[in-house]
Amino acid sequence: EQSMHIATYPDVGTLSQEAARYIVRIAKESIATHGRFTIALSGGTTPKKLYGLLAEEPYRSQIDWALVEIFWSDERNVPPSSQDSNYYLAKEVLLDKVPLAEKQIHRMPGEDPDRDAASQAYEADLRRTFGSAGIPAFDLIQLGMGPEGHTASLFPHQPSLHEQQRLIMPVDVPKPPPPRLTFTPPLLNAAIHVLFLVTGAEKAEAVQAVLEGPHQPDEYPAQIVRPTQGEVTWMFDTAAAANLRNK
Ligand code: 6PG
């Protein structure tokens, strides 16, 4: 049975500090129980502060970086040096500043013109890293949510919402840049922990619908994220949580 936690913070700074504390805790627990910490990062703008904090004290030295494997839950069809690249966002503020070997950084090849091959290659990398049996269970998948309820690059009414076989797939989404690679529902739902970071008044309506409305994941894809064995934590700022009845 999955469990859910909801917390609201006054601003992005406080939310980011709490998210950093949470990630440090899950990293320590994961390393203590199975010797490493596997994490998938997101894109968007919200997690930038968090990623920067992880590279700074008091968080940086609490993570045994040699035992971390970093992946991405989605990527845009842009070169890794692009300002629009989810990889670039993390590289700038985090990856360049902590002791990580290249082989621990599993960049999603969003710029590859052969998007099927790129998806399959990333899936193969996942399976190699996690071992062969079953669907890889991330210790932590960190996600954002858009104002219409999209998460990773799973957007309303797209066929990706019903994918059951592939772990990674190419999609074309309404938010620029349209061509992307994304984690699919089965991969998201195999996670041990999922951390959603959601800020801003423009998301308040979707937040209420996703958490308190009827189950209609075609309308609100974030509702798909219900890991069978996992724990979901939502961290909001006050504006994003404004419409929740139960805060
Ligand atoms: C992406 C994301 C996406 C993001 C949300 C929220 O590549 O665009 O991974 O799912 O997390 O769009 O983005 P913000 O945090 O910028 O609102």
mmCIF file of all heavy atoms in Angstrom, residues 41-48 73-76 84-86 142-148 150-155 173 175-177 180-182 197-199 202-203, ligand 1:
data_model
loop_
_atom_site.group_PDB
_atom_site.id
_atom_site.type_symbol
_atom_site.label_atom_id
_atom_site.label_comp_id
_atom_site.label_asym_id
_atom_site.label_seq_id
_atom_site.Cartn_x
_atom_site.Cartn_y
_atom_site.Cartn_z
ATOM 1 N N LEU A 41 16.281 12.953 -11.724
ATOM 2 C CA LEU A 41 15.983 14.380 -11.608
ATOM 3 C C LEU A 41 14.940 14.782 -12.637
ATOM 4 O O LEU A 41 14.672 14.047 -13.592
ATOM 5 C CB LEU A 41 17.260 15.196 -11.841
ATOM 6 C CG LEU A 41 18.455 14.856 -10.957
ATOM 7 C CD1 LEU A 41 19.636 15.763 -11.306
ATOM 8 C CD2 LEU A 41 18.108 14.971 -9.483
ATOM 9 N N SER A 42 14.366 15.965 -12.465
ATOM 10 C CA SER A 42 13.402 16.483 -13.440
ATOM 11 C C SER A 42 13.986 17.711 -14.118
ATOM 12 O O SER A 42 15.140 18.084 -13.893
ATOM 13 C CB SER A 42 12.089 16.841 -12.749
ATOM 14 O OG SER A 42 12.254 18.034 -12.016
ATOM 15 N N GLY A 43 13.177 18.351 -14.936
ATOM 16 C CA GLY A 43 13.573 19.628 -15.516
ATOM 17 C C GLY A 43 12.710 20.714 -14.917
ATOM 18 O O GLY A 43 12.347 20.644 -13.751
ATOM 19 N N GLY A 44 12.383 21.680 -15.739
ATOM 20 C CA GLY A 44 11.594 22.786 -15.220
ATOM 21 C C GLY A 44 12.486 23.733 -14.439
ATOM 22 O O GLY A 44 13.705 23.566 -14.385
ATOM 23 N N THR A 45 11.871 24.711 -13.819
ATOM 24 C CA THR A 45 12.653 25.726 -13.111
ATOM 25 C C THR A 45 12.638 25.528 -11.600
ATOM 26 O O THR A 45 13.578 25.922 -10.907
ATOM 27 C CB THR A 45 12.080 27.126 -13.399
ATOM 28 O OG1 THR A 45 10.669 27.080 -13.155
ATOM 29 C CG2 THR A 45 12.306 27.520 -14.853
ATOM 30 N N THR A 46 11.586 24.878 -11.097
ATOM 31 C CA THR A 46 11.415 24.777 -9.642
ATOM 32 C C THR A 46 12.601 24.128 -8.927
ATOM 33 O O THR A 46 13.002 24.620 -7.866
ATOM 34 C CB THR A 46 10.109 24.011 -9.317
ATOM 35 O OG1 THR A 46 9.051 24.576 -10.090
ATOM 36 C CG2 THR A 46 9.773 24.096 -7.844
ATOM 37 N N PRO A 47 13.181 23.029 -9.446
ATOM 38 C CA PRO A 47 14.215 22.338 -8.644
ATOM 39 C C PRO A 47 15.598 22.973 -8.696
ATOM 40 O O PRO A 47 16.511 22.491 -8.024
ATOM 41 C CB PRO A 47 14.242 20.936 -9.258
ATOM 42 C CG PRO A 47 13.737 21.078 -10.640
ATOM 43 C CD PRO A 47 12.819 22.263 -10.640
ATOM 44 N N LYS A 48 15.777 24.059 -9.425
ATOM 45 C CA LYS A 48 17.117 24.622 -9.578
ATOM 46 C C LYS A 48 17.764 24.965 -8.220
ATOM 47 O O LYS A 48 18.925 24.659 -7.969
ATOM 48 C CB LYS A 48 17.070 25.868 -10.469
ATOM 49 C CG LYS A 48 18.442 26.386 -10.811
ATOM 50 C CD LYS A 48 18.409 27.394 -11.935
ATOM 51 C CE LYS A 48 19.845 27.752 -12.328
ATOM 52 N NZ LYS A 48 19.913 28.664 -13.460
ATOM 53 N N SER A 73 14.162 12.024 -15.511
ATOM 54 C CA SER A 73 12.836 11.478 -15.803
ATOM 55 C C SER A 73 12.298 11.950 -17.149
ATOM 56 O O SER A 73 11.372 11.354 -17.691
ATOM 57 C CB SER A 73 11.854 11.833 -14.689
ATOM 58 O OG SER A 73 11.831 13.227 -14.492
ATOM 59 N N ASP A 74 12.866 13.023 -17.688
ATOM 60 C CA ASP A 74 12.544 13.416 -19.057
ATOM 61 C C ASP A 74 13.633 14.334 -19.597
ATOM 62 O O ASP A 74 14.441 14.861 -18.845
ATOM 63 C CB ASP A 74 11.150 14.051 -19.186
ATOM 64 C CG ASP A 74 11.066 15.460 -18.607
ATOM 65 O OD1 ASP A 74 11.891 15.807 -17.746
ATOM 66 O OD2 ASP A 74 10.176 16.216 -19.022
ATOM 67 N N GLU A 75 13.647 14.469 -20.917
ATOM 68 C CA GLU A 75 14.619 15.372 -21.536
ATOM 69 C C GLU A 75 14.052 15.909 -22.831
ATOM 70 O O GLU A 75 13.280 15.244 -23.524
ATOM 71 C CB GLU A 75 15.950 14.650 -21.776
ATOM 72 C CG GLU A 75 17.083 15.524 -22.279
ATOM 73 C CD GLU A 75 17.409 16.727 -21.378
ATOM 74 O OE1 GLU A 75 16.742 17.772 -21.526
ATOM 75 O OE2 GLU A 75 18.321 16.614 -20.535
ATOM 76 N N ARG A 76 14.455 17.133 -23.129
ATOM 77 C CA ARG A 76 14.028 17.801 -24.353
ATOM 78 C C ARG A 76 14.988 17.490 -25.496
ATOM 79 O O ARG A 76 16.144 17.144 -25.259
ATOM 80 C CB ARG A 76 13.979 19.314 -24.119
ATOM 81 C CG ARG A 76 12.939 19.774 -23.117
ATOM 82 C CD ARG A 76 13.539 20.037 -21.744
ATOM 83 N NE ARG A 76 12.556 20.511 -20.774
ATOM 84 C CZ ARG A 76 12.370 21.802 -20.509
ATOM 85 N NH1 ARG A 76 13.063 22.723 -21.134
ATOM 86 N NH2 ARG A 76 11.479 22.150 -19.616
ATOM 87 N N ASP A 84 17.901 24.999 -22.462
ATOM 88 C CA ASP A 84 16.638 24.269 -22.316
ATOM 89 C C ASP A 84 16.829 22.822 -21.894
ATOM 90 O O ASP A 84 15.861 22.092 -21.700
ATOM 91 C CB ASP A 84 15.877 24.274 -23.648
ATOM 92 C CG ASP A 84 15.243 25.610 -23.936
ATOM 93 O OD1 ASP A 84 14.922 26.328 -22.968
ATOM 94 O OD2 ASP A 84 15.074 25.937 -25.127
ATOM 95 N N SER A 85 18.086 22.387 -21.804
ATOM 96 C CA SER A 85 18.349 20.986 -21.465
ATOM 97 C C SER A 85 18.180 20.758 -19.965
ATOM 98 O O SER A 85 18.717 21.511 -19.138
ATOM 99 C CB SER A 85 19.784 20.642 -21.897
ATOM 100 O OG SER A 85 20.268 19.550 -21.164
ATOM 101 N N ASN A 86 17.454 19.717 -19.621
ATOM 102 C CA ASN A 86 17.299 19.379 -18.202
ATOM 103 C C ASN A 86 18.644 18.971 -17.600
ATOM 104 O O ASN A 86 18.935 19.252 -16.435
ATOM 105 C CB ASN A 86 16.282 18.256 -18.038
ATOM 106 C CG ASN A 86 14.872 18.734 -18.377
ATOM 107 O OD1 ASN A 86 14.613 19.937 -18.441
ATOM 108 N ND2 ASN A 86 13.968 17.789 -18.599
ATOM 109 N N GLN A 142 12.399 12.447 -8.495
ATOM 110 C CA GLN A 142 11.943 13.806 -8.195
ATOM 111 C C GLN A 142 11.223 14.338 -9.426
ATOM 112 O O GLN A 142 11.727 14.251 -10.537
ATOM 113 C CB GLN A 142 13.156 14.664 -7.818
ATOM 114 C CG GLN A 142 12.817 16.082 -7.429
ATOM 115 C CD GLN A 142 13.045 17.016 -8.589
ATOM 116 O OE1 GLN A 142 14.101 16.995 -9.211
ATOM 117 N NE2 GLN A 142 12.046 17.839 -8.893
ATOM 118 N N LEU A 143 10.028 14.860 -9.227
ATOM 119 C CA LEU A 143 9.200 15.315 -10.336
ATOM 120 C C LEU A 143 8.694 16.735 -10.091
ATOM 121 O O LEU A 143 8.650 17.204 -8.943
ATOM 122 C CB LEU A 143 7.987 14.388 -10.519
ATOM 123 C CG LEU A 143 8.274 12.942 -10.931
ATOM 124 C CD1 LEU A 143 7.011 12.092 -10.786
ATOM 125 C CD2 LEU A 143 8.812 12.872 -12.361
ATOM 126 N N GLY A 144 8.281 17.380 -11.169
ATOM 127 C CA GLY A 144 7.551 18.630 -11.072
ATOM 128 C C GLY A 144 6.149 18.405 -11.618
ATOM 129 O O GLY A 144 5.799 17.288 -12.029
ATOM 130 N N MET A 145 5.350 19.437 -11.610
ATOM 131 C CA MET A 145 4.034 19.339 -12.238
ATOM 132 C C MET A 145 3.709 20.658 -12.929
ATOM 133 O O MET A 145 3.950 21.733 -12.370
ATOM 134 C CB MET A 145 2.961 19.013 -11.209
ATOM 135 C CG MET A 145 1.611 18.681 -11.862
ATOM 136 S SD MET A 145 0.304 18.383 -10.676
ATOM 137 C CE MET A 145 -0.153 20.072 -10.273
ATOM 138 N N GLY A 146 3.163 20.562 -14.131
ATOM 139 C CA GLY A 146 2.776 21.764 -14.867
ATOM 140 C C GLY A 146 1.374 22.204 -14.490
ATOM 141 O O GLY A 146 0.633 21.479 -13.820
ATOM 142 N N PRO A 147 0.982 23.399 -14.926
ATOM 143 C CA PRO A 147 -0.317 23.967 -14.542
ATOM 144 C C PRO A 147 -1.519 23.167 -15.056
ATOM 145 O O PRO A 147 -2.633 23.321 -14.551
ATOM 146 C CB PRO A 147 -0.306 25.370 -15.165
ATOM 147 C CG PRO A 147 0.887 25.442 -16.048
ATOM 148 C CD PRO A 147 1.811 24.321 -15.709
ATOM 149 N N GLU A 148 -1.302 22.290 -16.059
ATOM 150 C CA GLU A 148 -2.397 21.439 -16.544
ATOM 151 C C GLU A 148 -2.232 20.012 -16.043
ATOM 152 O O GLU A 148 -2.921 19.100 -16.492
ATOM 153 C CB GLU A 148 -2.511 21.522 -18.069
ATOM 154 C CG GLU A 148 -1.526 20.699 -18.883
ATOM 155 C CD GLU A 148 -0.063 21.058 -18.658
ATOM 156 O OE1 GLU A 148 0.430 20.922 -17.511
ATOM 157 O OE2 GLU A 148 0.614 21.418 -19.623
ATOM 158 N N HIS A 150 0.555 18.039 -16.063
ATOM 159 C CA HIS A 150 1.558 17.134 -16.647
ATOM 160 C C HIS A 150 2.693 16.905 -15.648
ATOM 161 O O HIS A 150 2.982 17.766 -14.812
ATOM 162 C CB HIS A 150 2.090 17.663 -17.985
ATOM 163 C CG HIS A 150 3.200 18.663 -17.884
ATOM 164 N ND1 HIS A 150 3.006 20.017 -18.007
ATOM 165 C CD2 HIS A 150 4.529 18.511 -17.678
ATOM 166 C CE1 HIS A 150 4.157 20.654 -17.895
ATOM 167 N NE2 HIS A 150 5.112 19.765 -17.686
ATOM 168 N N THR A 151 3.301 15.741 -15.771
ATOM 169 C CA THR A 151 4.498 15.458 -14.980
ATOM 170 C C THR A 151 5.467 14.667 -15.842
ATOM 171 O O THR A 151 5.028 13.993 -16.772
ATOM 172 C CB THR A 151 4.160 14.716 -13.669
ATOM 173 O OG1 THR A 151 5.335 14.713 -12.840
ATOM 174 C CG2 THR A 151 3.710 13.290 -13.916
ATOM 175 N N ALA A 152 6.778 14.758 -15.530
ATOM 176 C CA ALA A 152 7.810 14.312 -16.457
ATOM 177 C C ALA A 152 7.405 14.901 -17.817
ATOM 178 O O ALA A 152 7.022 16.067 -17.880
ATOM 179 C CB ALA A 152 7.964 12.797 -16.454
ATOM 180 N N SER A 153 7.386 14.126 -18.916
ATOM 181 C CA SER A 153 6.777 14.672 -20.141
ATOM 182 C C SER A 153 5.538 13.874 -20.516
ATOM 183 O O SER A 153 5.268 13.580 -21.673
ATOM 184 C CB SER A 153 7.789 14.762 -21.286
ATOM 185 O OG SER A 153 8.607 15.909 -21.104
ATOM 186 N N LEU A 154 4.753 13.537 -19.514
ATOM 187 C CA LEU A 154 3.450 12.892 -19.694
ATOM 188 C C LEU A 154 2.383 13.981 -19.641
ATOM 189 O O LEU A 154 2.130 14.557 -18.575
ATOM 190 C CB LEU A 154 3.212 11.859 -18.595
ATOM 191 C CG LEU A 154 4.261 10.737 -18.481
ATOM 192 C CD1 LEU A 154 3.980 9.870 -17.255
ATOM 193 C CD2 LEU A 154 4.288 9.898 -19.756
ATOM 194 N N PHE A 155 1.809 14.271 -20.800
ATOM 195 C CA PHE A 155 0.853 15.374 -20.915
ATOM 196 C C PHE A 155 -0.572 14.842 -21.095
ATOM 197 O O PHE A 155 -0.778 13.720 -21.566
ATOM 198 C CB PHE A 155 1.232 16.269 -22.104
ATOM 199 C CG PHE A 155 2.347 17.234 -21.774
ATOM 200 C CD1 PHE A 155 3.652 16.777 -21.581
ATOM 201 C CD2 PHE A 155 2.094 18.594 -21.642
ATOM 202 C CE1 PHE A 155 4.686 17.664 -21.266
ATOM 203 C CE2 PHE A 155 3.118 19.494 -21.331
ATOM 204 C CZ PHE A 155 4.409 19.035 -21.143
ATOM 205 N N VAL A 173 5.061 16.921 -27.207
ATOM 206 C CA VAL A 173 4.204 17.534 -26.195
ATOM 207 C C VAL A 173 3.821 18.960 -26.588
ATOM 208 O O VAL A 173 4.499 19.590 -27.404
ATOM 209 C CB VAL A 173 4.905 17.511 -24.814
ATOM 210 C CG1 VAL A 173 5.360 16.107 -24.459
ATOM 211 C CG2 VAL A 173 6.060 18.499 -24.746
ATOM 212 N N LYS A 175 4.087 21.644 -24.864
ATOM 213 C CA LYS A 175 4.947 22.694 -24.287
ATOM 214 C C LYS A 175 6.296 22.688 -25.008
ATOM 215 O O LYS A 175 6.910 21.639 -25.138
ATOM 216 C CB LYS A 175 5.122 22.408 -22.793
ATOM 217 C CG LYS A 175 6.013 23.373 -22.030
ATOM 218 C CD LYS A 175 6.175 22.898 -20.568
ATOM 219 C CE LYS A 175 7.289 23.641 -19.849
ATOM 220 N NZ LYS A 175 7.560 23.091 -18.510
ATOM 221 N N PRO A 176 6.776 23.826 -25.489
ATOM 222 C CA PRO A 176 8.048 23.831 -26.203
ATOM 223 C C PRO A 176 9.241 23.514 -25.288
ATOM 224 O O PRO A 176 9.209 23.919 -24.129
ATOM 225 C CB PRO A 176 8.158 25.265 -26.728
ATOM 226 C CG PRO A 176 7.133 26.070 -26.034
ATOM 227 C CD PRO A 176 6.163 25.142 -25.372
ATOM 228 N N PRO A 177 10.258 22.852 -25.787
ATOM 229 C CA PRO A 177 10.335 22.238 -27.107
ATOM 230 C C PRO A 177 9.551 20.921 -27.152
ATOM 231 O O PRO A 177 9.697 20.103 -26.248
ATOM 232 C CB PRO A 177 11.838 21.984 -27.286
ATOM 233 C CG PRO A 177 12.385 21.892 -25.891
ATOM 234 C CD PRO A 177 11.490 22.698 -25.004
ATOM 235 N N ARG A 180 10.399 15.149 -26.998
ATOM 236 C CA ARG A 180 11.051 14.815 -25.727
ATOM 237 C C ARG A 180 11.154 13.306 -25.563
ATOM 238 O O ARG A 180 10.466 12.551 -26.234
ATOM 239 C CB ARG A 180 10.228 15.356 -24.569
ATOM 240 C CG ARG A 180 9.893 16.819 -24.744
ATOM 241 C CD ARG A 180 9.661 17.414 -23.465
ATOM 242 N NE ARG A 180 9.370 18.839 -23.556
ATOM 243 C CZ ARG A 180 9.029 19.539 -22.500
ATOM 244 N NH1 ARG A 180 8.911 18.950 -21.332
ATOM 245 N NH2 ARG A 180 8.799 20.819 -22.606
ATOM 246 N N LEU A 181 11.973 12.900 -24.607
ATOM 247 C CA LEU A 181 11.966 11.520 -24.112
ATOM 248 C C LEU A 181 11.445 11.571 -22.683
ATOM 249 O O LEU A 181 11.726 12.525 -21.956
ATOM 250 C CB LEU A 181 13.382 10.931 -24.112
ATOM 251 C CG LEU A 181 14.135 10.908 -25.447
ATOM 252 C CD1 LEU A 181 15.502 10.245 -25.264
ATOM 253 C CD2 LEU A 181 13.333 10.186 -26.518
ATOM 254 N N THR A 182 10.711 10.543 -22.295
ATOM 255 C CA THR A 182 10.140 10.558 -20.937
ATOM 256 C C THR A 182 10.099 9.177 -20.312
ATOM 257 O O THR A 182 10.021 8.160 -21.009
ATOM 258 C CB THR A 182 8.714 11.159 -20.950
ATOM 259 O OG1 THR A 182 8.249 11.312 -19.600
ATOM 260 C CG2 THR A 182 7.720 10.276 -21.708
ATOM 261 N N LEU A 197 7.825 18.515 -6.460
ATOM 262 C CA LEU A 197 8.040 19.901 -6.027
ATOM 263 C C LEU A 197 7.190 20.807 -6.904
ATOM 264 O O LEU A 197 7.372 20.839 -8.125
ATOM 265 C CB LEU A 197 9.509 20.289 -6.197
ATOM 266 C CG LEU A 197 10.527 19.441 -5.448
ATOM 267 C CD1 LEU A 197 11.930 20.002 -5.686
ATOM 268 C CD2 LEU A 197 10.220 19.394 -3.957
ATOM 269 N N VAL A 198 6.247 21.505 -6.294
ATOM 270 C CA VAL A 198 5.277 22.287 -7.074
ATOM 271 C C VAL A 198 5.106 23.665 -6.446
ATOM 272 O O VAL A 198 4.731 23.780 -5.273
ATOM 273 C CB VAL A 198 3.911 21.567 -7.139
ATOM 274 C CG1 VAL A 198 2.959 22.310 -8.059
ATOM 275 C CG2 VAL A 198 4.071 20.120 -7.610
ATOM 276 N N THR A 199 5.372 24.699 -7.246
ATOM 277 C CA THR A 199 5.232 26.064 -6.740
ATOM 278 C C THR A 199 4.458 26.929 -7.732
ATOM 279 O O THR A 199 4.439 26.656 -8.925
ATOM 280 C CB THR A 199 6.613 26.713 -6.507
ATOM 281 O OG1 THR A 199 7.309 26.786 -7.753
ATOM 282 C CG2 THR A 199 7.445 25.916 -5.516
ATOM 283 N N GLU A 202 -0.324 29.503 -10.477
ATOM 284 C CA GLU A 202 -0.905 28.973 -11.717
ATOM 285 C C GLU A 202 -1.120 27.466 -11.636
ATOM 286 O O GLU A 202 -1.789 26.881 -12.488
ATOM 287 C CB GLU A 202 -0.040 29.361 -12.930
ATOM 288 C CG GLU A 202 1.290 28.639 -13.069
ATOM 289 C CD GLU A 202 2.402 29.136 -12.150
ATOM 290 O OE1 GLU A 202 2.145 29.993 -11.284
ATOM 291 O OE2 GLU A 202 3.542 28.635 -12.288
ATOM 292 N N LYS A 203 -0.584 26.834 -10.586
ATOM 293 C CA LYS A 203 -0.752 25.384 -10.441
ATOM 294 C C LYS A 203 -1.801 25.004 -9.391
ATOM 295 O O LYS A 203 -2.080 23.827 -9.191
ATOM 296 C CB LYS A 203 0.589 24.754 -10.094
ATOM 297 C CG LYS A 203 1.613 24.943 -11.215
ATOM 298 C CD LYS A 203 2.963 24.401 -10.860
ATOM 299 C CE LYS A 203 3.940 24.669 -12.008
ATOM 300 N NZ LYS A 203 5.314 24.368 -11.629
HETATM 301 C C1 6PG B 1 10.296 19.364 -18.144
HETATM 302 C C2 6PG B 1 9.890 18.769 -16.856
HETATM 303 C C3 6PG B 1 8.476 19.012 -16.461
HETATM 304 C C4 6PG B 1 8.495 19.994 -15.303
HETATM 305 C C5 6PG B 1 7.165 20.657 -15.140
HETATM 306 C C6 6PG B 1 7.170 21.692 -14.054
HETATM 307 O O1 6PG B 1 11.228 18.865 -18.737
HETATM 308 O O2 6PG B 1 9.680 20.360 -18.526
HETATM 309 O O3 6PG B 1 10.549 17.738 -16.321
HETATM 310 O O4 6PG B 1 7.719 17.896 -16.159
HETATM 311 O O5 6PG B 1 8.880 19.356 -14.132
HETATM 312 O O6 6PG B 1 6.852 21.259 -16.370
HETATM 313 O O7 6PG B 1 8.085 22.686 -14.396
HETATM 314 P P1 6PG B 1 8.333 23.957 -13.492
HETATM 315 O O8 6PG B 1 8.925 23.452 -12.240
HETATM 316 O O9 6PG B 1 9.258 24.823 -14.302
HETATM 317 O O10 6PG B 1 6.998 24.586 -13.313
#
